[in-house]
Amino acid sequence: MPKNRPQFITDLDERSLLLFKSLVEHFIQDGYPVGSRTLSRDTGLALSPATIRNVMADLEDIGLLRSPHTSAGRVPTARGLRLFVDSLLSIEQLEERQVRHLAQEMAAEADMQHLITRTSSLLSDITNLAAVVMLPRRQISSLEHIEFVSLSDNRILVILVLSNKEIQNRIIHTAKTYTQSQLQRSANYLNSTLRGKDLDTIRAEVLMELRKLQEDVNELMQAAIEMAQQAFVSPTAADDVVISGQTNLMGVAELSDLDKLKRLFESFNQKRDILHLLENSINAKGIQIFIGEESGYEVLDNCSIVTSPYQSEGRILGVLGVIGPTRMDYERVIPVVDMTAKILSSALNSTD
């Protein structure tokens, strides 16, 4: 989980913690501000509403609660939810029948793409939230050889031969027409410059350096740089993550503001921010939880994200998780995400 956990739990007495826990549980269940009379009735503590209001005021002063609008009740802040999740939440294992259901549904998919899509759909259906599953990362490959073949209308076929014997073909469009002889010289230059470098390094570092040189090199080198910029373009986020159940969030009161909902759905469509968030979670051990602003993306400020990595043969391949309101039922969602990641890992091991 993210760092910077609240360190002041030891400063709260048992009564304050009990009232705080009860308030958060009510808020998660109902979504409404919780008042002192509700807590007085449900906690079983022999405390007057006035005493409870004083405790709630103290909790508000230290940033765990806030008062929305002019309501007499209070709701937890993101900081309060972090304390609740880290220190007061009781997580139970899924029932055996639920585990069997997940395993059976995912075992039926032998194709990798279908398995990832099915996993995302199942995770969304079970949690009634938006589900995200990152496609397995490929092993890091380096460039062995590049070739260019001239086609019609300034189109060029790019052939990339990688170190794992994989061959990638793609068609690019150039600003001017090149002869096959010019293409061959450009390929020779790029092969001498890039051979042996992994694709991530080429995309992140080498192309940047080539762009800096573009104005200072001859026409042949400019042609090589132009083609390399297109040939080594990074895969799009749309190819790297599967999202299901976005419409589940339309009925969530906290996300019902049309402008916020529009920006959230645009983020789902573009997928870049979500993919980056998943990539940041890929080396985490087990469950990661981002509450509100902890994600680092403004569009997700009213959301919580629960993720877990999945693996095959001891190597982490990707991350899956759910996106929902900060008021999500963490007690129910966390074990579902955790078990789904474990079952996906098992399914991938059995198909290798």
Side-chain angles (χ1 to χ4, degrees):
M1 295 182 188
K3 295 180 180 179
N4 299 324
R5 298 179 179 180
Q7 299 296 316
F8 46 79
I9 186 170
T10 54
D11 297 331
L12 299 177
D13 57 38
E14 185 176 348
R15 181 183 66 177
S16 297
L17 286 174
L18 181 59
L19 288 171
F20 173 74
K21 184 173 185 289
S22 178
L23 184 147
V24 174
E25 290 171 343
H26 270 284
F27 176 70
I28 288 175
Q29 180 177 340
D30 302 326
Y32 299 111
V34 183
S36 57
R37 292 188 181 280
T38 298
L39 295 178
S40 176
R41 181 182 67 246
D42 292 352
T43 58
L45 295 175
L47 299 174
S48 67
T51 300
I52 294 176
R53 283 195 293 272
N54 289 335
V55 173
M56 293 169 69
D58 291 339
L59 294 173
E60 186 172 358
D61 287 342
I62 60 176
L64 298 181
L65 302 179
R66 63 182 179 87
S67 302
H69 310 300
T70 57
S71 168
R74 288 174 173 81
V75 298
T77 62
R79 191 184 192 192
L81 287 170
R82 169 54 60 194
L83 171 64
F84 175 78
V85 168
D86 283 351
S87 305
L88 302 174
L89 194 63
S90 299
I91 303 297
E92 297 183 1
Q93 299 298 317
L94 292 185
E95 296 179 7
E96 185 60 33
R97 61 178 180 81
Q98 294 174 302
V99 176
R100 283 199 306 269
H101 171 70
L102 270 172
Q104 290 169 358
E105 292 289 337
M106 293 164 67
E109 302 291 351
D111 177 78
M112 171 71 74
Q113 180 67 47
H114 289 167
L115 176 59
I116 297 300
T117 301
R118 182 61 177 152
T119 299
S120 181
S121 178
L122 280 169
L123 195 52
S124 171
D125 289 344
I126 293 172
T127 62
N128 202 34
L129 300 171
V132 293
V133 182
M134 179 180 176
L135 269 67
R137 295 190 305 179
R138 298 181 180 183
Q139 292 183 327
I140 296 176
S141 301
S142 59
L143 179 69
E144 288 287 335
H145 188 73
I146 186 169
E147 293 182 27
F148 298 124
V149 179
S150 179
L151 303 174
S152 61
D153 301 323
N154 289 6
R155 295 181 305 142
I156 296 172
L157 172 64
V158 181
I159 304 172
L160 299 177
V161 181
L162 307 181
S163 58
N164 60 359
K165 308 306 178 186
E166 178 184 359
I167 298 177
Q168 296 183 7
N169 298 322
R170 60 193 62 175
I171 295 176
I172 63 175
H173 296 76
T174 56
K176 59 178 291 186
T177 302
Y178 296 103
T179 67
Q180 188 59 50
S181 175
Q182 289 174 314
L183 294 179
Q184 185 60 57
R185 291 201 299 274
S186 295
N188 291 341
Y189 168 72
L190 292 175
N191 281 319
S192 65
T193 304
L194 305 179
R195 181 181 289 117
K197 291 182 169 59
D198 68 77
L199 299 190
D200 287 341
T201 298
I202 291 174
R203 293 180 185 123
E205 301 175 13
V206 177
L207 292 185
M208 185 180 298
E209 293 302 316
L210 289 177
R211 280 192 286 270
K212 292 179 181 177
L213 296 173
Q214 195 159 12
E215 295 181 358
D216 300 323
V217 296
N218 60 37
E219 186 175 353
L220 172 63
M221 295 305 99
Q222 289 181 6
I225 293 168
E226 178 191 0
M227 287 179 281
Q229 288 173 335
Q230 297 186 61
F232 293 101
V233 65
S234 180
T236 64
D239 298 326
D240 286 346
V241 62
V242 176
I243 303 179
S244 303
Q246 301 96 307
T247 55
N248 287 336
L249 304 182
M250 294 178 67
V252 177
E254 301 93 306
L255 305 176
S256 61
D257 178 276
L258 289 180
D259 183 57
K260 291 180 180 179
L261 199 60
K262 179 181 178 181
R263 290 191 292 115
L264 181 60
F265 273 58
E266 286 175 350
S267 180
F268 284 146
N269 288 332
Q270 295 175 358
K271 298 184 178 180
R272 293 187 183 90
D273 292 348
I274 293 170
L275 180 61
H276 188 258
L277 185 65
L278 295 180
E279 288 175 338
N280 286 341
S281 305
I282 202 162
N283 294 317
K285 294 182 179 179
I287 292 289
Q288 280 273 97
I289 302 173
F290 301 88
I291 300 174
E293 298 176 358
E294 291 176 351
S295 72
Y297 297 97
E298 183 180 355
V299 71
L300 297 173
D301 279 357
N302 295 305
C303 299
S304 282
I305 302 96
V306 179
T307 70
S308 180
Y310 65 88
Q311 58 186 317
S312 178
E313 297 182 345
R315 186 172 73 90
I316 294 177
L317 298 181
V319 174
L320 58 77
V322 297
I323 300 174
T326 55
R327 189 178 59 85
M328 73 166 61
D329 187 351
Y330 297 95
E331 185 173 346
R332 186 177 67 90
V333 169
I334 291 172
V336 171
V337 171
D338 182 47
M339 183 54 66
T340 303
K342 290 176 180 176
I343 294 175
L344 178 58
S345 299
S346 178
L348 290 172
N349 281 321
S350 65
T351 56
D352 287 343

